[in-house]
Amino acid sequence: MPYLTAPEALDTLLPDQPRYRIDQFREWLYRHPVLTTDEMTNLPLRVRQSLADRLWPMQVEVEQSGDGGRTVKWLFRAPDGVAVEAVLMGYPRRTTLCISSQAGCAMGCTFCATGQFGFDRHLAAGEIVAQVAYANAHLRARPMPGSPARVGNVVFMGMGEPLANYDNVREGIRRMIEVMGMSARSITVSTVGITPGIDRLAAEPWPVTLALSLHAADDHLREQLVPIDRRYPVEDLIAAARRFRGSHGRRVTLEWTLMEGVNDSAEQARSLAAIAVELGAHVNVIPLNPTPLAPQRRPSAERTRRFVEEVARYGATCTLRDTRGTEIDAACGQLRARSDARSPERATPVPAPPGRHP
Ligand code: SAH
Ligand code: SF4
């Protein structure tokens, strides 16, 4: 399994090959990924054939595209049966890939489809980086109209909590930067707020971007949405984000999934703005993608606009995330929710929604 082997140890897969062949193979895997080993034209036919059906650690079970071909979503299935999602989004000057760090998630946020399904397992570093390689291979074969044919930005905003799978996420990021050649700043780790993980990430040599999923400015509200808030309260998160930013100019974004009548008040907007200004952080408002089991609703466009304006009025920079991919269930966990609904034998038992509901 080439991606499940460290890029520095590929000789163990091809023990009879000279060093330059191993280097060529590593280039194909990380620098110029291709969908099949057939396309690795400078490798001997025997080598290509021996690796043909084990190039990718997970198989594409569903591929959907939307937004006129500028959004592509994959559901990948691993041999042990777990499934994860990745979403590719093409913009005029950048191509962004949203990847998963775990199959499922143990955090149980009440508004999140992944959280409602519970935790299956951690992804290996190779399964994490293979999502990026696969997207690059796909773009090489089928570029998106008007967007760069290479993934320029990676966001850990698919399934799972990246800082709960720290070592594998770290190794995945290392390979993206050191082997694929991506810039650290173009990689965003989105976290529900595991403060020891934020401190570990701050101590790494790469200035990756941190996105903190805040969603509420006080613990009373936040613990109803994000159960782990009881362990890592808002004050601790802010302190950890401040430390993260303090270490050579790393960037922090505050994520705010907007829910009608829950966290869209003027008062929450003002408290959020105060936190953002103090941290020098950018605010990203994400209108809720309703999920079948969540009680929360998406606010109207008018209410959403008012919330964003209120945050900006108090001096914070604030953007509204576009609702890219809604037509293909591109929100975290939703494609799997559908696929499992179609094949109930594979569905994971749905736990009782954790936490109290607003
Ligand atoms: N576990 C990490 C990263 C994956 S979730 C985290 O929570 O940050 C990525 C982002 O999607 C988070 O900000 C999360 O709050 C948001 N999200 C989850 N479910 C959503 C939904 N139904 N609608 C809109 N955003 C959602
Ligand atoms: Fe897990 Fe993030 Fe979903 Fe919360 S929002 S359940 S941390 S994936």
Side-chain angles (χ1 to χ4, degrees):
M1 282 291 193
Y3 287 103
L4 297 183
T5 305
E8 296 77 14
L10 289 171
D11 54 326
T12 57
L13 288 181
L14 303 173
D16 52 343
Q17 293 297 320
R19 174 103 169 244
Y20 74 94
R21 285 258 186 264
I22 308 292
D23 292 341
Q24 286 169 331
F25 185 42
R26 190 181 306 106
E27 291 271 308
W28 284 119
L29 294 177
Y30 291 93
R31 291 274 174 169
H32 309 288
V34 282
L35 292 170
T36 63
T37 55
D38 282 355
E39 294 157 78
M40 300 181 175
T41 42
N42 57 2
L43 297 187
L45 187 62
R46 191 171 49 79
V47 171
R48 285 187 256 161
Q49 284 172 342
S50 73
L51 296 163
D53 42 348
R54 50 190 176 117
L55 174 59
W56 299 104
M58 299 183 280
Q59 298 302 315
V60 175
E61 181 165 295
V62 182
E63 178 178 293
Q64 286 186 355
S65 71
D67 302 309
R70 294 176 306 125
T71 303
V72 181
K73 175 156 181 161
W74 294 285
L75 181 74
F76 295 107
R77 181 96 44 193
D80 65 354
V82 305
V84 298
E85 304 172 1
V87 185
L88 183 65
M89 290 156 286
Y91 300 92
R93 281 197 301 278
R94 70 198 149 93
T95 301
T96 297
L97 180 70
C98 173
I99 62 171
S100 295
S101 57
Q102 299 178 314
C105 183
M107 299 297 146
C109 301
T110 58
F111 53 88
C112 170
T114 306
Q116 288 154 0
F117 270 87
F119 177 70
D120 291 327
R121 70 164 167 83
H122 292 307
L123 293 191
E127 291 172 316
I128 293 169
V129 79
Q131 296 170 63
V132 185
Y134 188 86
N136 277 325
H138 170 93
L139 284 169
R140 188 184 175 102
R142 274 185 283 158
M144 292 176 148
S147 302
R150 192 162 183 89
V151 173
N153 291 77
V154 166
V155 296
F156 280 87
M157 292 186 189
M159 295 165 69
E161 168 47 45
L163 298 183
N165 182 18
Y166 192 89
D167 292 339
N168 292 326
V169 166
R170 180 200 189 274
E171 173 59 12
I173 292 173
R174 184 193 73 82
R175 292 189 203 175
M176 288 174 214
I177 296 168
E178 294 183 355
V179 192
M180 284 181 160
M182 295 189 68
S183 96
R185 272 174 217 285
S186 67
I187 299 171
T188 298
V189 175
S190 176
T191 178
V192 71
I194 298 185
T195 58
I198 296 173
D199 285 331
R200 283 181 77 182
L201 195 61
E204 300 292 357
W206 318 291
V208 297
T209 300
L210 180 75
L212 188 57
S213 292
L214 194 61
H215 313 312
D218 59 80
D219 294 312
H220 176 70
L221 176 58
R222 193 166 188 268
E223 67 181 29
Q224 297 172 41
L225 305 170
V226 178
I228 196 83
D229 185 77
R230 294 191 192 103
R231 176 130 37 119
Y232 305 114
V234 173
E235 200 185 312
D236 293 7
L237 298 192
I238 296 172
R242 200 183 294 125
R243 290 191 294 274
F244 186 89
R245 205 186 121 84
S247 50
H248 43 95
R250 290 176 164 88
R251 293 181 209 179
V252 177
T253 301
L254 299 175
E255 305 280 308
W256 194 276
T257 295
L258 200 64
M259 302 167 223
E260 185 182 45
V262 177
N263 63 355
D264 61 349
S265 66
E267 191 195 338
Q268 285 289 320
R270 283 195 289 275
S271 306
L272 164 61
I275 295 170
V277 168
E278 200 260 333
L279 285 176
H282 181 85
V283 175
N284 199 205
V285 172
I286 316 161
L288 178 80
N289 259 301
T291 75
L293 294 169
Q296 298 91 354
R297 286 195 309 261
R298 173 189 288 201
S300 67
E302 169 60 21
R303 260 181 106 135
T304 304
R305 191 183 54 78
R306 254 189 287 146
F307 184 85
V308 170
E309 279 173 10
E310 192 74 8
V311 175
R313 182 137 49 114
Y314 285 86
T317 62
C318 181
T319 47
L320 181 64
R321 166 98 57 87
D322 67 354
T323 43
R324 213 30 127 63
T326 337
E327 68 185 81
I328 54 166
D329 295 325
C332 162
Q334 296 194 359
L335 188 62
R336 187 185 72 157
R338 272 220 182 167
S339 170
D340 284 346
R342 279 196 301 266
S343 35
E345 74 278 6
R346 264 206 296 262
T348 326
V350 179
R356 278 171 291 135
H357 292 300

